[in-house]
């Protein structure tokens, strides 16, 4: 508990100031679907000045509410190769920037694939993403949100999770759920995302962590999200750097092409440089992708 309090204290103190209010809640009100009791404990580590969380066994949703909510909300999935979560610069920092624009943000601390804590590690993260969307939609009125303006954003492997949520919503990851609340996000924001599990462009760590070392061809196809885009996929905003040596830019390009083919509204911004994991700030350019995102969100409201 002591380490946890220190962790959230560090996250709440930033140069940009505090959100109007911050509230963390368990993602599931009761038992976690498909969960297995385990002695594994969550870990918080510091890497190159950043905060990382691993061994997530109890998923949470942390709500960052702005002083004047405009009704739009975005669920944020930090990256980390499905092995840990870059909870600070791909989570809290982004939530705070959204708050400054009147957008209510939710940082999702999702479970990381692990055979010792879940019956099917390949669907555990998606269960959490769908539950997050369901929770925000059910509580929209209480939180002053528009239930038809709920987006999902993901970075790197978190981008894969967000893309999965945006393309797999017609079937519930928790097959036992009887809830009829829609888990379709209204838009998706994918930042240097892992998209494909095709060997030629896949991020091997994310692929292995989620679906194992020797997955079936069917499972590879299922979680290659460029192959899952359909006409009812929500609008998409993509950002990537051409020199990304971790997740090839081809991931975003293929998803963009799939959206075009299926007539899904999509906007993509590619930067020549920036590498991987730059979060809000690509220091190689004066162009700010976050400003482009705000323009896209504003324009889509007028459609």
């Amino acid at each position: 508990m002591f380490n946890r309090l220190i962790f959230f204290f560090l996250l709440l103190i930033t140069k940009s100031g505090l959100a109007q209010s911050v509230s963390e809640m368990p993602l599931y009100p009761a038992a976690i679907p498909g969960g297995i009791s385990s002695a594994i404990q969550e870990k918080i580590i510091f890497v190159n000045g950043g905060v990382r969380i691993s061994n997530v066994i109890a998923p949470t949703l942390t709500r960052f509410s702005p002083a004047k909510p405009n009704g739009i909300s975005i669920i944020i999935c930090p990256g980390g190769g499905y092995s840990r979560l870059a909870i600070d610069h791909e989570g809290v920092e982004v939530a705070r920037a959204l708050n400054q624009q009147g957008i209510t943000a939710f940082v999702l601390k999702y479970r990381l694939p692990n055979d010792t804590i879940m019956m099917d590690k390949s669907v555990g993260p998606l269960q959490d993403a769908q539950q997050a969307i369901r929770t925000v939609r059910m509580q929209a009125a209480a939180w002053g949100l528009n239930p038809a303006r709920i987006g999902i954003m993901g970075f790197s492997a978190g981008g894969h999770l967000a893309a999965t949520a945006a393309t797999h919503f017609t079937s519930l990851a928790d097959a036992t759920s009887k809830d009829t609340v829609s888990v379709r996000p209204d838009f998706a924001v994918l930042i240097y995302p892992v998209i494909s599990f095709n060997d030629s462009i896949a991020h091997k760590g994310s692929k292995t962590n989620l679906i194992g070392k020797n997955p079936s061809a069917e499972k590879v196809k299922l979680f290659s999200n460029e192959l899952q885009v359909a006409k009812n996929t929500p609008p998409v905003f993509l950002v990537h750097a051409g020199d990304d040596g971790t997740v090839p830019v081809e991931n975003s390009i293929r998803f963009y092409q799939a959206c075009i083919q299926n007539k899904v509204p999509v906007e993509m911004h590619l930067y020549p440089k920036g590498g991987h994991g730059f979060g809000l700030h690509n220091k190689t350019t004066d162009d700010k992708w976050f400003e482009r995102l705000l323009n896209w969100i504003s324009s889509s409201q007028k459609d």
Side-chain angles (χ1 to χ4, degrees):
M1 177 61 74
F2 180 70
N3 287 338
R4 191 173 181 79
L5 290 174
I6 290 178
F7 168 65
F8 280 104
F9 179 75
L10 289 172
L11 290 184
L12 291 174
I13 299 179
T14 67
K15 292 181 181 180
S16 59
L18 299 177
Q20 178 72 5
S21 66
V22 180
S23 175
E24 184 190 29
M25 67 198 82
L27 186 59
Y28 298 95
I32 298 173
I36 300 174
S37 179
S38 171
I40 289 178
Q41 293 186 343
E42 185 176 295
K43 292 182 180 179
I44 298 170
I45 58 176
F46 297 88
V47 179
N48 298 324
V51 181
R52 305 289 184 269
I53 300 179
S54 60
N55 293 348
V56 177
I57 58 174
T60 63
L61 194 62
T62 301
R63 175 165 53 100
F64 291 76
S65 298
K68 296 181 179 179
N70 61 14
I72 301 171
S73 59
I74 297 179
I75 297 162
I76 305 168
C77 306
Y82 281 125
S83 65
R84 57 188 182 183
L85 302 179
I87 202 76
D88 52 353
H89 81 291
E90 292 178 355
V92 173
E93 185 177 349
V94 180
R96 194 144 284 124
L98 291 169
N99 275 181
Q100 292 178 353
Q101 305 301 320
I103 298 172
T104 301
F106 296 83
V107 176
L108 176 61
K109 188 178 74 174
Y110 56 92
R111 286 173 295 159
L112 298 164
N114 190 322
D115 288 324
T116 64
I117 65 169
M118 53 186 71
M119 295 177 185
D120 183 351
K121 70 176 184 178
S122 69
V123 300
L126 180 57
Q127 286 177 346
D128 293 352
Q130 290 186 343
Q131 177 67 9
I133 295 167
R134 182 182 293 116
T135 298
V136 175
R137 189 155 278 137
M138 288 192 303
Q139 297 296 327
W143 292 337
L145 305 175
N146 184 340
R149 295 294 293 162
I150 300 170
I152 191 163
M153 171 189 282
F155 296 77
S156 192
H160 183 268
L161 178 55
T164 307
T167 55
H168 290 65
F169 54 83
T170 57
S171 59
L172 297 181
D174 174 16
T176 66
S177 176
K178 304 299 182 184
D179 202 308
T180 59
V181 175
S182 171
V183 294
R184 178 186 183 272
D186 297 297
F187 59 93
V189 180
L190 311 177
I191 313 300
Y192 42 84
V194 175
I195 291 293
S196 183
F197 281 171
N198 182 297
D199 282 341
S200 64
I201 62 170
H203 178 249
K204 291 181 174 55
S206 297
K207 177 181 178 180
T208 299
N209 287 333
L210 187 67
I211 60 175
K213 293 182 179 179
N214 299 296
S216 66
E218 181 182 12
K219 201 151 216 178
V220 170
K221 180 180 179 181
L222 181 65
F223 287 100
S224 291
N225 289 316
E226 80 279 17
L227 304 178
Q228 305 304 323
V229 175
K231 296 189 184 303
N232 58 350
T233 297
V236 177
F237 183 92
L238 289 153
V239 173
H240 221 122
D243 67 348
D244 191 328
T246 302
V247 177
V249 67
E250 185 71 16
N251 280 265
S252 283
I253 292 172
R254 290 194 187 183
F255 200 77
Y256 176 86
Q257 291 173 330
C259 287
I260 293 295
Q261 290 168 4
N262 285 277
K263 296 182 170 33
V264 173
V266 59
E267 180 169 317
M268 179 168 63
H269 294 273
L270 301 182
Y271 296 96
K273 298 181 180 180
H276 189 75
F278 49 77
L280 280 174
H281 311 289
N282 183 346
K283 296 179 181 179
T284 71
T285 175
D286 291 333
D287 190 79
K288 306 298 182 185
W289 70 259
F290 188 74
E291 294 179 0
R292 304 286 186 181
L293 171 63
L294 296 175
N295 292 337
W296 180 75
I297 291 175
S298 177
S299 297
S300 65
Q301 287 232 100
K302 299 173 184 176
D303 294 341

